[in-house]
Amino acid sequence: MTVNTDMSVRVAAITQVADKVKRFRLVREDGQPMPVFSGGSHIVVGMREGAVLRRNPYSLMSAPGDTSGFEISVLRVEKSRGGSAFLHEKVKPGDRLTVSQPLNLFPVDQRGRKHLLMAGGIGITPFMAMMDQLDRNNRAFELHYAVRTRGHGAYWRELQGRYGEQRVKVYCDEENLFIPTQAILANQPLGTHLYVCGPAGMINGVLGQARGLGWPAQNLHAEEFLAPPLGKPFKAVLAKSGKTIEVAAHQSILEAAEAAGIDAPYLCRGGACGQCETNVTACTGTIEHNDHFLEPQDKASGRKIMICVSRIDGSQITLDL
Amino acid sequence: MLVQGIKSRPVYSGIKADPNAVRHLFVLEGEGALALLDQAATLGQDIRSKTEVLYASTGSKPREHGQKLAALDFHDYWEAPSVAVLLNRFGVMLGTAKMGIRIYISGTEGFIGQAVQMAIDHGIDHNSLMTEHRGSEARRVQCVHCKGITDNVRTSPFTCSHCGLPLLVRDHYSHRIGAFQGVNVDAEAPGTAPPPEELFP
Amino acid sequence: MSLTFKKETFRDDFSFRNSPASIRRFPFPFNEDKYMYAVNMEPHVPAGPPNHSYNKLIDVDEHFVAEMEDRAKVLKEDPLRYQALPHMMTAQWDTLELLMEQQAQGFPEHFSLDRDGDRWHWINRPMGIDRHFVFGDATTLPCEPFEFITRQAQGDFCIVDQRDGNLWMDAGMVTTQADWSLDFDVGMNFMEWHGPVPLAHQLGVFERALKFLLNLQQSKPVRRLNWTMTINPRLDTSPENYHKWGPDRATVTPENVGDKVHLRCELQSLWRLPRSNAILFVIRCYLIKMEELVTISKWARRFHRVLRDLPPELIDYKGLTRYRPVTVEWLSKFDDGAPTSPGIFPD
């Protein structure tokens, strides 16, 4: 038995907050309160454009205790598969979308004596909700926020106003200011937890420096925004459903299966939660594993795939779906 | 007969100095000194110069591990007169420590349990500690009835040193308490406790 | 429907009884004539015939007041039965909200909750509690929020924190447990606290259950049933007091099986908590005497078969060794060998 707990929402406001970044405020159509959530959570937003249904994950940036609406920020990406372009160009105030219940794959470790947050660009969004919660709970935190230009950086002024320049530090590429990661990491009290959200290069760089300075893995947390990468088209044979589907270059296997009317399990749609893990029974070609979930030996075995972000370079894959 | 494969018992996977650490703190008791002495020759000057050692010799005093540790050129070596004194200093040091320190704990299981708990209380995740079991297999056991802890338990059943009940040592370990669980062995028919069997030499 | 709360005891003179209506609403834990561990989790949605214990997601029944009195006695004797590690405060408030909401919604004649922003007003009529407090401000309650609400809700409660791909039991109110110690298990992870359970580890039950629970979603609670047996209707069968209740196991005779031997069912529900991302684990204990159980002939037949064919490891782990043969013998009189209908509900 599956219980559908998605909610119908109306776009209450759209605000251009920086170059290429728009904020969307979503309120429930049935007038009920939005669920409260924990900082770091995301929702999956469902958008229908004609016959195409897109579902994209976005971090919640509004205050976790605010039940009047959800807010997300969307970066217009160059090589958009359609989601960010659709939200930026087609969606208008008053339009209808659906949202999932909040899901947190980037939670705060509640035991932390201090929380050190490092954001790059649009990676700021989960930290906005996190800081609201940390501040309300009187917990020690510090944000280091890297932006390309002051104009590209959303929210830095508002955050400094709210939490003070001691707790919110902004570094701007254009001004040749970079996060002095080494110096920051070298002097943190025992029990500090580090959270990084931004582009893959930044995450790998910061976590690598932290490990190099003796930080244990248990104190390191990161979330990378993983959109299903584009690739080449291929065929997927869905053995249980008895269907063969075409996966287009801009589609994930999950999206292609959904378009064919198959109810495949998913939660995060970002390769992190493990819900869409699917067994592979045959594959002509190479699996391109793009997820953060499977263990290296599972990836190497070629018998498992996370269909929300991974695909193949080849002609056909047969799945236990 | 005790069941094998205790799921709640920690895995003491051994101590290996982490070359990334900016400070190394070895917290050792009794035969635990050997966990460091055995690898001392392989530690480079760089690691030795960042290494501090806290040691309580307890029952191993005649074996003079302390003298051997003192003879090495660690940044600091200190021998405590007892485990309680050692743990007190360890706690104060943790209070001012920074991220980047690595903590290595070795000795009897009871000692490891107490030192791990001290580290947890200072915000350290117990999975980031390195531990190595050395010395006696004797167990530290908490009586589930009176909550009193008895150290160096070698038999099961044994008599609780606090409330006097005969206790079976269950294969259930709490890393928070740093002890196994002891449960009254003859509750269902008082006076029928089997004779103690030496299980933890 | 308004409940009439019974005055009864779970210790000393053991005056606990189920009314006929209470028997029919019992969550009988066997859906077939045999038993083995399984990850038997299903969505926790209202179900069952009218007035069944599955009707409301947090159940309140005729034993409510007496159970809360028993809990208060246990806590007075042993305050260690309630513990919450310091980082669990957000989850404590989550739990208070969930239980107040569910009880007020499910049983409005007995409980009410009014909210004006963070100013909350809670009324628990059966216990005569009428309290104004500020949500999120622990100084406005007489004790910690988790303790406050779980002194007013039937069942044991554990809050598990999620981190590092595991679940950690970091808070609990546990006074009606089947022989496990909260004080000992606080701080353990999912695999550790299930350590002593036989067979299930080898079956991979806990790996599958953990994987499932790590992705448990907000507003989609799940439930499962677990069971054991208890001599006399004693709620507090803790290891702490084993030396006090253990001797009861040697008192069962063919004459007193019907009155002394109880099936103890745990209706477990698991809820993702919104503010803390922790999981609330509700372990609600229901007791039924053998002589009450056999008034439902389907249950009499089925329980006889389950108990008769139980694997030895489970007999030992559940502590049934001394009194199982006499109980099976007694139950056999109620089993004519007829087939039983599927599912757990009475025919």
Side-chain angles (χ1 to χ4, degrees):
Chain A
M1 182 163 63
T2 52
V3 181
N4 185 1
T5 52
D6 283 1
M7 299 170 281
S8 289
V9 295
R10 186 170 49 78
V11 178
I14 303 176
T15 316
Q16 184 86 40
V17 287
D19 302 345
K20 297 183 183 168
V21 179
K22 281 185 176 178
R23 179 174 68 222
F24 295 79
R25 182 168 180 82
L26 311 172
V27 297
R28 281 179 73 152
E29 287 218 278
D30 60 9
Q32 293 295 306
M34 282 290 189
V36 293
F37 61 94
S38 53
S41 295
H42 72 262
I43 49 171
V44 173
V45 177
M47 313 159 236
R48 192 168 280 287
E49 183 181 20
V52 180
L53 175 64
R54 290 196 183 84
R55 290 193 179 109
N56 282 10
Y58 294 101
S59 288
L60 285 168
M61 54 168 286
S62 41
D66 177 5
T67 58
S68 66
F70 281 164
E71 288 182 8
I72 56 170
S73 283
V74 180
L75 172 71
R76 172 76 167 91
V77 288
E78 296 302 333
K79 279 194 277 174
S80 172
R81 295 163 43 260
S84 76
F86 179 75
L87 283 168
H88 266 258
E89 280 139 36
K90 303 278 173 64
V91 172
K92 300 280 173 281
D95 284 357
R96 286 172 185 179
L97 302 167
T98 63
V99 299
S100 70
Q101 293 286 319
L103 174 73
N104 201 343
L105 299 173
F106 190 39
V108 164
D109 190 318
Q110 307 276 355
R111 301 167 305 163
R113 301 290 166 97
K114 177 179 173 184
H115 303 276
L116 189 59
L117 318 177
M118 291 196 186
I122 195 69
I124 188 66
T125 52
F127 292 141
M128 308 223 4
M130 245 184 225
M131 284 188 286
D132 181 87
Q133 211 173 14
L134 290 169
D135 187 51
R136 240 169 247 282
N137 294 337
N138 275 323
R139 313 296 289 273
F141 72 89
E142 198 174 289
L143 170 74
H144 297 269
Y145 180 17
V147 297
R148 220 167 337 135
T149 67
R150 299 258 168 194
H152 274 95
Y155 309 116
W156 62 268
R157 205 172 268 115
E158 164 190 340
L159 291 171
Q160 283 194 332
R162 179 163 173 199
Y163 301 115
E165 290 181 26
Q166 287 306 310
R167 284 196 288 178
V168 174
K169 299 198 161 82
V170 181
Y171 308 85
C172 185
D173 287 6
E174 205 179 43
E175 299 160 17
N176 267 326
L177 284 173
F178 303 96
I179 301 180
T181 320
Q182 199 80 11
I184 295 167
L185 294 175
N187 280 304
Q188 296 299 329
L190 208 54
T192 302
H193 282 255
L194 172 67
Y195 307 82
V196 194
C197 186
M202 173 192 181
I203 292 175
N204 295 337
V206 172
L207 296 185
Q209 287 188 61
R211 279 188 288 265
L213 287 165
W215 284 56
Q218 288 76 16
N219 295 54
L220 306 178
H221 315 272
E223 180 159 78
E224 183 192 344
F225 274 75
L226 205 62
L230 308 177
K232 296 178 196 149
F234 59 94
K235 271 193 180 54
V237 180
L238 311 181
K240 270 198 224 154
S241 324
K243 285 191 182 172
T244 299
I245 57 171
E246 301 286 340
V247 183
H250 65 279
Q251 257 182 333
S252 67
I253 303 175
L254 176 62
E255 287 165 338
E258 287 172 340
I262 288 155
D263 192 12
Y266 72 86
L267 276 181
C268 77
R269 299 180 88 90
C273 76
Q275 192 79 5
C276 72
E277 180 181 319
T278 306
N279 289 326
V280 177
T281 47
C283 179
T284 46
T286 324
I287 301 179
E288 296 171 341
H289 290 289
N290 298 312
D291 64 279
H292 294 308
F293 182 79
L294 289 177
E295 302 291 336
Q297 63 269 28
D298 287 331
K299 289 184 178 175
S301 77
R303 305 184 70 98
K304 286 183 174 165
I305 186 169
M306 311 305 297
I307 58 172
C308 68
V309 291
S310 299
R311 57 193 303 120
I312 67 165
D313 182 1
S315 56
Q316 183 171 305
I317 186 167
T318 307
L319 299 170
D320 189 17
L321 187 70
Chain B
M1 195 53 216
L2 294 172
V3 187
Q4 294 302 305
I6 308 168
K7 302 282 176 193
S8 54
R9 189 181 202 169
V11 177
Y12 306 109
S13 33
I15 284 174
K16 197 174 175 316
D18 173 3
N20 289 324
V22 294
R23 182 180 173 197
H24 305 270
L25 180 57
F26 285 81
V27 184
L28 310 171
E29 175 265 347
E31 294 301 293
L34 294 171
L36 175 55
L37 287 170
D38 287 354
Q39 60 175 304
T42 67
L43 299 178
Q45 161 64 23
D46 174 53
I47 289 183
R48 294 200 307 276
S49 67
K50 296 176 191 161
T51 293
E52 293 152 76
V53 182
L54 306 181
Y55 181 56
S57 60
T58 61
S60 296
K61 198 161 186 73
R63 303 194 60 191
E64 302 187 343
H65 300 317
Q67 284 89 317
K68 287 171 209 151
L69 286 169
L72 294 165
D73 61 339
F74 295 126
H75 175 68
D76 198 13
Y77 170 77
W78 180 73
E79 187 164 339
S82 70
V83 167
V85 172
L86 178 147
L87 290 173
N88 179 57
R89 179 174 288 214
F90 179 41
V92 174
M93 289 170 77
L94 288 174
T96 56
K98 304 258 182 173
M99 292 301 291
I101 190 172
R102 271 280 172 182
I103 293 156
Y104 313 89
I105 302 168
S106 182
T108 60
E109 195 162 23
F111 173 78
I112 295 173
Q114 294 173 76
V116 166
Q117 184 50 39
M118 179 71 74
I120 292 172
D121 288 345
H122 285 84
I124 298 175
D125 188 298
H126 68 276
N127 286 319
S128 68
L129 301 164
M130 283 195 224
T131 53
E132 184 164 325
H133 180 230
R134 292 276 184 146
S136 156
E137 297 278 328
R139 291 184 174 184
R140 189 165 185 261
V141 184
Q142 187 198 41
C143 171
V144 75
H145 311 290
C146 78
K147 308 292 180 184
I149 289 175
T150 305
D151 274 303
N152 294 315
V153 173
R154 291 172 194 280
T155 67
S156 182
F158 76 101
T159 303
C160 175
S161 61
H162 303 265
C163 71
L165 279 173
L167 302 179
L168 173 86
V169 182
R170 283 183 86 194
D171 282 334
H172 193 32
Y173 185 89
S174 163
H175 66 74
R176 190 183 63 91
I177 298 169
F180 285 86
Q181 189 175 56
V183 183
N184 186 197
V185 69
D186 62 350
E188 296 182 23
T192 62
E197 194 183 341
E198 177 153 337
L199 295 174
F200 326 116
Chain C
M1 190 194 73
S2 187
L3 291 163
T4 306
F5 298 102
K6 298 177 74 179
K7 201 164 171 48
E8 60 191 352
T9 57
F10 302 89
R11 55 178 71 204
D12 307 321
D13 64 342
F14 297 110
S15 62
F16 165 89
R17 299 282 180 283
N18 282 299
S19 67
S22 182
I23 294 172
R24 290 194 66 81
R25 73 192 306 284
F26 183 79
F28 185 70
F30 309 105
N31 59 6
E32 53 181 355
D33 290 356
K34 57 183 193 306
Y35 175 77
M36 195 20 140
Y37 288 117
V39 187
N40 51 341
M41 279 186 269
E42 60 176 355
H44 190 36
V45 292
N51 298 319
H52 191 268
S53 48
Y54 272 13
N55 284 186
K56 311 288 184 195
L57 299 187
I58 293 292
D59 185 39
V60 176
D61 67 16
E62 64 185 20
H63 309 296
F64 176 78
V65 173
E67 284 188 23
M68 294 303 99
E69 283 169 2
D70 194 68
R71 165 158 293 162
K73 283 181 191 156
V74 173
L75 288 167
K76 202 168 172 188
E77 286 167 10
D78 182 3
L80 305 187
R81 304 300 185 86
Y82 168 82
Q83 299 202 30
L85 299 183
H87 63 274
M88 299 303 280
M89 191 45 87
T90 305
Q92 288 203 26
W93 287 107
D94 274 333
T95 302
L96 174 133
E97 176 184 50
L98 189 154
L99 293 176
M100 285 187 176
E101 267 182 0
Q102 291 293 331
Q103 292 194 349
Q105 214 172 47
F107 303 88
E109 342 51 322
H110 303 299
F111 305 93
S112 65
L113 176 64
D114 287 308
R115 290 187 270 198
D116 173 14
D118 287 341
R119 300 191 172 277
W120 291 27
H121 180 201
W122 166 249
I123 302 175
N124 168 350
R125 289 177 197 89
M127 294 175 74
I129 293 170
D130 184 319
R131 183 91 198 183
H132 294 266
F133 64 98
V134 177
F135 185 84
D137 180 354
T139 62
T140 60
L141 287 173
C143 51
E144 291 194 333
F146 182 41
E147 179 178 351
F148 180 74
I149 192 57
T150 54
R151 280 177 177 270
Q152 304 175 54
Q154 287 171 277
D156 283 345
F157 299 87
C158 296
I159 315 180
V160 297
D161 196 20
Q162 179 162 340
R163 49 178 201 268
D164 257 351
N166 215 323
L167 299 173
W168 303 84
M169 190 184 293
D170 288 345
M173 167 66 90
V174 179
T175 66
T176 67
Q177 70 279 53
D179 203 8
W180 68 278
S181 167
L182 172 75
D183 178 53
F184 196 75
D185 287 4
V186 161
M188 287 189 190
N189 71 33
F190 191 77
M191 294 299 164
E192 291 170 349
W193 88 69
H194 285 115
V197 182
L199 302 178
H201 288 277
Q202 292 90 308
L203 294 171
V205 166
F206 295 125
E207 279 83 0
R208 285 202 299 282
L210 175 61
K211 206 167 172 181
F212 178 86
L213 291 175
L214 289 173
N215 275 342
L216 183 70
Q217 285 178 275
Q218 250 176 268
S219 81
K220 289 189 187 180
V222 296
R223 68 172 165 242
R224 68 182 288 266
L225 294 169
N226 194 14
W227 70 281
T228 187
M229 295 175 76
T230 302
I231 302 310
N232 295 326
R234 192 189 290 272
L235 285 174
D236 175 27
T237 50
S238 57
E240 278 82 355
N241 284 335
Y242 177 46
H243 54 307
K244 296 177 188 161
W245 56 263
D248 293 358
R249 285 178 171 169
T251 63
V252 181
T253 64
E255 293 70 41
N256 65 21
V257 167
D259 179 49
K260 266 197 181 290
V261 178
H262 291 72
L263 174 61
R264 182 183 189 109
C265 177
E266 289 177 358
L267 171 47
Q268 305 179 347
S269 59
L270 295 116
W271 309 68
R272 173 70 66 190
L273 297 175
R275 294 172 184 78
S276 56
N277 200 44
I279 290 176
L280 176 66
F281 196 169
V282 182
I283 309 157
R284 172 68 194 279
C285 167
Y286 294 85
L287 290 167
I288 191 168
K289 289 176 188 299
M290 286 301 106
E291 64 194 21
E292 293 170 348
L293 182 109
V294 298
T295 63
I296 309 288
S297 39
K298 168 180 170 178
W299 294 352
R301 292 187 184 104
R302 179 168 290 168
F303 189 50
H304 169 247
R305 296 167 199 176
V306 167
L307 198 57
R308 181 190 62 200
D309 303 334
L310 204 62
E313 294 89 340
L314 292 185
I315 297 170
D316 181 47
Y317 174 65
K318 290 182 187 286
L320 317 181
T321 312
R322 281 177 198 273
Y323 57 87
R324 190 186 67 107
V326 62
T327 307
V328 170
E329 175 60 29
W330 188 86
L331 282 168
S332 70
K333 293 178 292 188
F334 301 90
D335 185 359
D336 55 9
T340 52
S341 61
I344 65 169
F345 302 118
D347 289 324

